[in-house]
Amino acid sequence: MADLTRREFLQIAGGATAAVGMLGVRPEDVHAEASDASPIDYERARAVPTICFGCTTHCGVIGWVEDGRVRKIEGNPLDPNTRGAICSKANGMISYTYAPTRIVYPMRRVGKRGEGKWERIEWDEALDEIASRMKALRDGGTPERFVFHYGRDKTKGFTKRFTDAFGTPNRLNRRSICSSNRRAPLMSFYGREFEWESQDVENTQFILNFGSNVMEAHQGGLFMVKRIVDARVERGAKLVTFEVRPSATASVSDEFHLVKPGTDGAIALAMAHVIVREGLANEAFWKRWANHPLENIRKHLEPYTPAFAERESGVSAADIERLAVAFAKAAPRCCTLSNRGSAKHYNGVQADRAIRMLDVLVGNVGEPGGFCLSSPRMWKNRYGQEGLPVVDQPAPAPGPLEPWKPGTRMFASLPAAVQERVAAFPEDWQKRYFGELATPSEYPLSWHWYPMRVGQLVYPYIREGRQKVEVYMSYTLGAAYGYPEATVAREVLRDETLIPFHVAIDISYSEQAALADIILPDATSLERWDAHSTNSYDLVPYTGIRQPLVEPLGEARPVQILLRDLARRVGGGMEHHFDFDRVEDYYRAWYENLPVSWDELKRRGIWQEAGRKKDYGLHERELPATELQGSATDAETGIIYRDGAKKQAIGIRVDAKALRGFDTPTRKITIHEPLFPLAARHTGLPLDDVNAKALPEYQPISGHEDLADDEFILTTFKWNVHTQGRSTYWKHQAEIVHTNDIFLSPETGRRLGLETGDEVTVVVRRPRGRTYRSGEDEPVGTFRNRVRLLNGMHAKVAACSHHAGHWEHGPVAQARTEEDPTARAGMSAELRGGDPDVPERIWWAKSEGGTGGGVAINDALPINPTPLVGGQCWFDNVCTLRKA
């Protein structure tokens, strides 16, 4: 473990504490627990760098450890993204590590599944039972009946190593719930390497923001906050935000324009119309790097006038004209931002493609201050860079799984309609098809570029019999609470004919774990190892290490040890892929080629090559001669293929130079994407649907037109102190935000006779369009909640966060001051806990006259995957509101 003295830490840290204060958190307020707020003795305390897991941004931090207990978290100034800043979630890691209701021993149910009756068992007993069931599947030739379903897995492929070694393709994620509608347009435009963008906001002059709440809750948002502030204060940059509510980002923008939900694409296309019409497009860049003629784009954009966009969105045509011109004139120091607000809609994939096209039109891609792409990879020499080695998993790694092709046993187990659809797929799609849970045939673009899965359909598909399951393992997954129509997840998890055996690996007693047969206690992020890398807003790739600050509490174990021991029990060669004794040894081997010692990496926590040039213009970099050896160039397209075979493109010849280009089939930016109509034809989606279009298009969301007076578009959002629904038992986070009132505009309140504090009944109807169970008359669900009137809300929008209303996770999450004898009957003392802060400090409990712990709304939100890509449309929900 890397230990630093106070003096050594200060030499590294510089202004880290000041950065904390800049984020609105006083340094003296950043402490562990109310019962542990005594001053830290820095003469005895140790500073250990690690990687935060308060959310998926994963910032470099330094933890202060005193007497074997983590006391405080501060930012690591060596992190090039955060530069030493943290947010309030960082110290939440302390809350969940020392939560009195945390699970720290293996548990087995002794009553009915979901009844809440448990007994403590030994690890050997738990692992032997799990391994025996898994071994039976493997020995019986049905390894696919083991399903591993995770929520937050940052082990950098360790769990995939486990499922691949076992032989199941069913390693399922929650990416469709979160980000697939955002990733698909980026990977379509720029290639698989770039699933995230890294806008150079620090050096920009103009930011067009479509539905991104970067100042509050955006993956990588903390990386951008200070950069945007500096650009605006020091360089006069302008931030323009299109949003449906007064978000934190909207509140600090130079301009904030209220938009009707799901109309961002119309605005972006109208701006593109203006840019082309006014001759402001960078025609040289477009001709050089876009895969479609600009003249065709000009004709394509003709219907998308500012007047059209005004009718759709409510943003004035004059503003659209003015902002489009200003954006183009700021090029190349301009960029777009987008996120859930633009993408989590039925038409969201095309909306983000339209937004991405704005950057290509003005030629800011890869330019200082522009829309930049920095991969988390450590680039190889073949890209003409400075020779930084790729950091990858240590050998041995399992071989590839066999696809479910016609004629195989697995293929024969599929429903006839699915077999017919898959058999008609192109050959390269068939090579990547592994069944309906991992690669759902109705959503081929969810797995074409990247394994994004369609998590919200896992439980319906299991119920429909598309995949027989014998052993289901959930890892830090909150589907039973947080998935849309979470009632479906709970129904399937309770049904032992559908899931005979459920193992939950978790830290807290979640709604998901409550429906398990065995619960295995995981180590927290302050007790474990992980490799770390992400895209760099510094535009120089870097890597970091998560390392344990303290030993796991009780008998909790890191998931790597848990899976290693399971693999050894299952045997059959599986154990050879887990030939390490300590997790540290595994990650030491991972980083063995890094040009810095293992001890130095641990001491610093972050490593980035000094003096390396920034990733501007990666597409313009020449391929080295060593990479060109044995290659061949297609005379018609200029594409350079490795080893002369037209399989792996490595570059493109432009003006007689062998350039890297983009990681797409044409090595150019894929404005015209034939995959969309091709996927539509193979799945039966009509070609007039917006999601089937090869060029970015706009189509109004069905059901959003002509809303009645009591009908509204229900949208959700994230609080900046919470990580979805997994942080409501973190004490300080819960004290700051513990409920989830419904935000409405004062105008709406007056019309409905509502005041702040009144309660309303919310009824959510099924979505329309070509999606799951669309158009059914029965509502999805109903809930009742308090209203808060808020200036700046769109008059037809109701906004409610989706993190609150837990019935598990302990008394802090539930906002109760008394023991619940029903839910806790028969539960072990380890789960009940004994918290000195309960009941005195839960002042927001209803029994204390407070608002309570909020309302669970996810049961009422429909499963609503975007066609082809499968991303959940969280923001399309149409509901009725009536005073309760």
Side-chain angles (χ1 to χ4, degrees), residues 697-708:
E697 290 204 12
Y698 170 80
Q699 186 179 75
I701 295 170
S702 180
H704 284 196
E705 304 298 310
D706 302 321
L707 295 173

Side-chain angles (χ1 to χ4, degrees), residues 665-676:
T666 64
R667 305 307 289 187
K668 292 189 174 186
I669 303 171
T670 311
I671 305 296
H672 182 274
E673 178 55 271
L675 277 173
F676 286 99

Side-chain angles (χ1 to χ4, degrees), residues 650-683:
I650 60 173
I652 185 169
R653 292 197 180 272
V654 181
D655 296 337
K657 292 182 178 180
L659 304 181
R660 176 178 175 248
F662 295 92
D663 186 31
T664 62
T666 64
R667 305 307 289 187
K668 292 189 174 186
I669 303 171
T670 311
I671 305 296
H672 182 274
E673 178 55 271
L675 277 173
F676 286 99
L678 178 61
R681 283 195 293 270
H682 281 291
T683 58

